[in-house]
Amino acid sequence: MTAVPSPAQYAWQEAERSMFIHFGPATWQGREYDDGSVPVKQINPTQLDTEEWCRAALAFGAKRIVFVAKHTGGFCWWQTDTTEYSVKNCPWKGGKGDVLRELSQSCKKHGLRLGVYIYPGDRTWGAYIGGGGKTEDPSLQDAYNEVFRTQLTEVLSRYGEIEEVWFDGSCVIEVGDILERYAKNSVIFQGPYASIRWCGTERGTMPDPAWSSINKKDLETGTATVVQSDPEGDTWAPLEVDTTLYNHFWFWSPENAKKQKTLSDLMEIYYHSAGRGGVLLLNTSPNTDGRIPAEDIRLLERFGKEIDRRFAKPLAECNGEGNELVLELEEAAVINHVMLMEDIRGGERVRRYRLEAEVNGAWQEIGAGFQIGRKRIVVVEPVKAERIRLVIDKAADTPLLRRMAAFFVKCEDHAALLTAQNSVSLVYDPVTDSWVSPGEGERVLAWNAEDVHEKKFMFDVDISRIVTEPGQYELKFLTEGSAALRIEKLEVLLERQVTDGVLSVIKEGSCYNLTRTSAVEDAQGGKTGVRGCIECLGEGERGSLTVKKIV
C-alpha cells in the first residue's frame, strides 16, 4: 500500500517555504557554536522586533517561522527557572523579556505558523554536540534529562500551537509523553518520534529522486535522512531542506554578513528544494541589535518576487487522473518550464514519467524522470509547442495529477538550471537495494596480512579531510581476491567523542551511511573519525575503506 501523509504532514508540506532564525550568544561571539565567552550581561538586543522578523518571512512567501529557542550552548530565549544562562539574566527589558512569547504573538498576528528548535544537548551540562542530549559524565544524565524535559514542556505548553519541533541531531532523552500531550498535531524533526526528515545536506538542495516515503524501522532510528528514502516505503516522512542566507554561516557577524548568497543562488535552491517536493527552510540571522539586516530583507523580498514572476501566471494548466494527461494551449507557444504536482493525499504514485511536446503535429520528448511528488519543476529546452503531454510509464497506483502547468520564463540562469537538473544526483544500486551517488569514494584506509593479528584488524582513522561539511557520507569496506570480512565493531567519533545514532546500514558488513548534522567550523583533524574492528574471513587478508559524500 502506498504511504500517505497525515493531516499534519500534509499541511506542513503544503507550506513549501519556511524561515529559520538563528540568534543567540554565538551572534555576539562571532562563532557558530556558543562557547560561553560573552557574559550574559552583554547580551542586550535593544532593537529586537519580532514584527520585522515576520515581515521578512512573508517577503519570500514563507508560511512558517522556526525559531532557535535554545542552541548547543544551552542559552534559553524564554523565561525559565531551569538555568541561569538565559534571557532572564540579560539587561534586555530588565530581564523580563521573552523572545518566544513575542514571536508567537507576532506570528499569530501575521498568519504565520510557529516552529521551535530546542537543542537536546547543552554545553553547560556537558551534553555534547551531536550526542542527542547524552552527557559526557554519566552521573549527570538523569538530572539533565529532567532539565531538558522541563524546558521542552515549557516551550510546547506556553506559546500556543507549535507546528514543528526540531531536535537537531536526534534526541536520546525520552520525551514521547510530552510530545503526545503538547505536540500531538506537530511534525517532529529527528529523534525516535520523527515525522519529517533532513535532506542530508545544508547546501539547500535535494538529490533527485527524493521520495517522501521511508520504511518505519528506518524512521524510528531518529536520524533517517533522504538516503533512506524508499518509493515503496510504508511510512510518509517528507523532507526539509535547511540552508543559510550567508554562505555558509548560521549566525550573524560583521564578517558573515559579507557572505550573503545571491538571488541566483536562492533561485537554484528553490528549484532544487521546493521544486523537488521538499520544504525549504531558509535561515535569517538577526544582528546584536536583534534586527535582521536591511540588505538581507531586501534580498528576501527580491527572492519572493522572482518566484512569483516566474511561476504565478502559467501559459496553461490542467489536472486529471491516469497514465496520460494532455495540456491544451490556446495557441502554439514557446515554453521552457513545466510544473507537475501529484495530489499527495493519495501518496507518491508515479515511478517513471515522460514529458512530450507536440510540434507541427508530431510528439517529441522534452523531459523525463522518476518522481513527481508534491511539486516537480522541470526545466526544458525552449520549444514552440501546440500541446504538452505527460506520459506515466510506471506507477504504483492510478496517478492523481493535481496540476500540470506550462511556463515560458525569461531568465539568465536557464542553461545553468538545465545542466544542474540533467546531472545525475542518485542512481539505483541493485546490489545494495538503495539509491546512491555515482562515482567511487576516496581510500582512507588499507590493510594487508601484516596488519592482521589472529584474524582481527583494529583501526582508527581520521576522515576530517573528506567530511568537511554537514551531510551524508558513504563508508564502504572492500576486500581483494578471495578475502572476506565481518564488521565486529564500528564507531563514529565527532570532535573525538564517540557518537551514537549517526551510522546506518546500507549493506550489512560492507557499506554504511554516516550522517553528520553538526557544522564543521574549521579544517583541523579530529573533527570526524571512524574506528572499529574487522574480522578477516576466508584466505585473503587484504582490504580497504573508502569514503565519499552522498549528498
Side-chain angles (χ1 to χ4, degrees), residues 16-59:
E16 186 183 272
R17 284 164 259 170
S18 305
M19 189 173 86
F20 224 167
I21 299 178
H22 276 70
F23 181 57
T27 306
W28 280 260
Q29 297 161 8
R31 297 173 49 83
E32 289 295 279
Y33 290 124
D34 170 16
D35 63 358
S37 59
V38 172
V40 175
K41 296 300 182 184
Q42 293 182 20
I43 298 175
N44 188 19
T46 55
Q47 299 179 41
L48 190 150
D49 183 1
T50 56
E51 294 285 305
E52 175 192 69
W53 295 1
C54 289
R55 290 192 295 270
L58 293 169

Side-chain angles (χ1 to χ4, degrees), residues 180-198:
E180 176 66 21
R181 181 173 181 182
Y182 298 110
K184 202 167 188 176
N185 297 317
S186 306
V187 295
I188 312 299
F189 182 89
Q190 297 193 321
Y193 301 98
S195 55
I196 59 175
R197 290 176 291 148
W198 186 39

Side-chain angles (χ1 to χ4, degrees), residues 12-13 15 109-110 146 182 206 209 223 255 301 428 473 478 488 536 545:
W12 176 84
Q13 202 165 358
K109 174 182 174 181
H110 290 277
E146 285 305 307
Y182 298 110
M206 292 207 302
T223 56
E255 286 302 310
E301 290 172 344
Y428 180 72
Y473 297 84
L478 305 170
E488 189 171 282
C536 296
L545 169 63

Side-chain angles (χ1 to χ4, degrees), residues 222-478:
T223 56
T225 68
V226 68
V227 171
Q228 285 79 30
S229 295
D230 184 345
E232 311 307 326
D234 56 17
T235 300
W236 190 268
L239 293 151
E240 187 161 47
V241 186
D242 60 321
T243 193
T244 60
L245 198 63
Y246 303 150
N247 201 12
H248 180 84
F249 298 95
W250 292 100
F251 289 91
W252 178 90
S253 76
E255 286 302 310
N256 292 352
K258 297 175 184 178
K259 300 176 177 65
Q260 187 192 70
K261 287 175 178 171
T262 66
L263 178 59
S264 179
D265 292 334
L266 295 184
M267 287 309 301
E268 182 178 359
I269 286 168
Y270 178 75
Y271 276 71
H272 296 160
S273 56
R276 289 180 176 174
V279 172
L280 171 61
L281 180 58
L282 179 61
N283 189 60
T284 53
S285 310
N287 59 26
T288 52
D289 291 329
R291 304 295 296 271
I292 297 174
E295 295 82 359
D296 295 351
I297 292 178
R298 282 194 287 270
L299 177 58
L300 295 175
E301 290 172 344
R302 292 172 61 210
F303 182 36
K305 289 177 181 177
E306 183 63 11
I307 294 172
D308 288 344
R309 184 188 74 81
R310 296 190 185 201
F311 301 116
K313 296 180 179 179
L315 296 171
E317 62 180 301
C318 66
N319 57 56
E321 298 183 9
N323 293 325
E324 185 174 303
L325 187 62
V326 177
L327 176 60
E328 303 281 351
L329 301 175
E330 289 187 7
E331 59 182 11
V334 177
I335 70 161
N336 61 3
H337 285 68
V338 178
M339 183 182 293
L340 303 173
M341 299 178 74
E342 287 187 78
D343 184 348
I344 58 171
R345 288 171 293 186
E348 290 179 334
R349 300 185 175 191
V350 176
R351 297 291 182 267
R352 186 179 297 115
Y353 69 88
R354 287 177 285 128
L355 275 172
E356 299 175 337
E358 186 180 34
V359 180
N360 297 323
W363 292 103
Q364 64 182 49
E365 185 173 309
I366 58 173
F370 296 99
Q371 177 197 23
I372 293 179
R374 185 201 169 261
K375 178 178 284 188
R376 169 69 49 166
I377 297 175
V378 185
V379 185
V380 301
E381 292 284 3
V383 58
K384 189 172 184 179
E386 294 140 20
R387 294 189 293 172
I388 306 297
R389 182 166 68 182
L390 172 65
V391 180
I392 310 298
D393 292 318
K394 184 178 180 181
D397 202 341
T398 302
L400 305 175
L401 283 308
R402 170 180 166 184
R403 190 185 195 207
M404 177 164 70
F407 301 83
F408 177 71
V409 177
K410 293 181 180 180
C411 55
E412 295 181 356
D413 57 356
H414 179 270
L417 289 168
L418 189 61
T419 298
Q421 173 185 274
N422 293 337
S423 62
V424 177
S425 295
L426 296 178
V427 296
Y428 180 72
D429 177 13
V431 176
T432 59
D433 188 30
S434 61
W435 292 82
V436 300
S437 59
E440 298 298 322
E442 182 175 342
R443 180 182 288 193
V444 297
L445 176 70
W447 66 89
N448 55 39
E450 295 177 357
D451 304 307
V452 177
H453 303 283
E454 297 181 352
K455 293 292 185 179
K456 301 290 180 70
F457 172 60
M458 307 288 291
F459 64 93
D460 189 338
V461 58
D462 190 320
I463 58 174
S464 303
R465 61 189 173 85
I466 300 172
V467 184
T468 57
E469 61 180 339
Q472 308 278 281
Y473 297 84
E474 177 195 80
L475 310 180
K476 182 177 284 187
F477 292 89
L478 305 170

